[in-house]
Amino acid sequence: MNYRVIRRLYLSVLLVLCLFPSTVIAQMAIGGDLPDMPLESINGGGTSAHALMGNQGGVFVFWSNDCNWTSQYQSRIESLDRARVPVILVNSNDGTVFPKEADSGKRYSVAYVRDRGGRLARALGAERTPHVFVFDSRKQLVYAGGIDDSPADAQIVQSHWLRDVMSQLSSGQSVSVPSTKSFGCRIKLP
């Protein structure tokens, strides 16, 4: 191959990498501590990751207003027993570039917060919506991954990962499956 062609190809790849940097970040290791990041309630007002935790833990589900996969999971999330372990939807998407993400028109039966600047998403290593992070009463990560094994169809779910983790936390048991693969839309970090 010609030296000029190789050089042009190299420069083109370099330019693309500079213009579109990767947002892949390492996921927090199981056992990691929940950082106390500031968050904003979708209804207005400030809060923090620690303030949203319950006595037995907390579930942070990274969410999107513009992702078909989160839409398919909405009823499953809202049907979870949140008596002892609260569920918090976290929107880390850039609402200035993606206006649908700034829309707070939808109402949910669970807490819904904005992670302006994507600080919590980066700290936890959240990549997708939905991407679940469950913390125990000591604010240590005990589960990271998906909601269940059937993103497209709730009728054929065989493994209810999140529901099982919440049940295990509520009854003081150890989490049997600490990690699974998340599936969904990429988070659009600022």
Side-chain angles (χ1 to χ4, degrees):
M1 206 184 237
N2 184 327
Y3 172 74
R4 285 186 192 174
V5 172
I6 293 173
R7 184 170 180 235
R8 284 185 187 150
L9 180 61
Y10 173 76
L11 290 174
S12 297
V13 169
L14 186 60
L15 179 64
V16 167
L17 290 174
C18 289
L19 291 175
F20 304 103
S22 172
T23 58
V24 174
I25 43 183
Q27 183 174 289
M28 176 183 277
I30 299 298
D33 295 323
L34 174 66
D36 196 16
M37 300 286 186
L39 298 166
E40 180 183 306
S41 171
I42 209 80
N43 300 322
T47 188
S48 71
H50 283 193
L52 294 167
M53 294 284 291
N55 290 337
Q56 294 192 317
V59 176
F60 292 84
V61 182
F62 286 84
W63 205 252
S64 170
N65 296 333
D66 192 30
C67 174
N68 186 45
W69 299 111
T70 55
S71 297
Q72 292 189 45
Y73 271 118
Q74 182 175 343
S75 63
R76 287 181 256 183
I77 287 291
E78 291 183 341
S79 70
L80 291 170
D81 178 10
R82 301 176 303 276
R84 295 183 181 177
V85 184
V87 175
I88 303 101
L89 302 180
V90 181
N91 192 320
S92 297
N93 291 303
D94 187 346
T96 58
V97 177
F98 304 97
K100 286 185 180 178
E101 296 302 345
D103 178 27
S104 60
K106 261 189 182 172
R107 298 292 172 234
Y108 298 91
S109 64
V110 298
Y112 190 6
V113 297
R114 284 192 182 100
D115 175 25
R116 295 215 188 264
R119 291 176 55 200
L120 184 61
R122 285 184 177 91
L124 301 182
E127 294 181 343
R128 304 198 173 279
T129 60
H131 195 162
V132 177
F133 294 84
V134 180
F135 292 86
D136 65 11
S137 61
R138 297 170 297 158
K139 298 179 179 72
Q140 291 184 327
L141 184 64
V142 294
Y143 174 79
I147 294 169
D148 59 41
D149 67 347
S150 182
D153 188 352
Q155 301 303 316
I156 61 171
V157 173
Q158 294 183 10
S159 296
H160 298 269
W161 302 314
L162 178 55
R163 186 187 69 193
D164 294 348
V165 168
M166 291 175 70
S167 175
Q168 291 163 353
L169 274 184
S170 293
S171 62
Q173 299 174 7
S174 296
V175 172
S176 60
V177 178
S179 180
T180 61
K181 184 167 177 53
S182 66
F183 180 85
C185 304
R186 278 225 170 272
I187 294 176
K188 304 165 196 91
L189 293 173

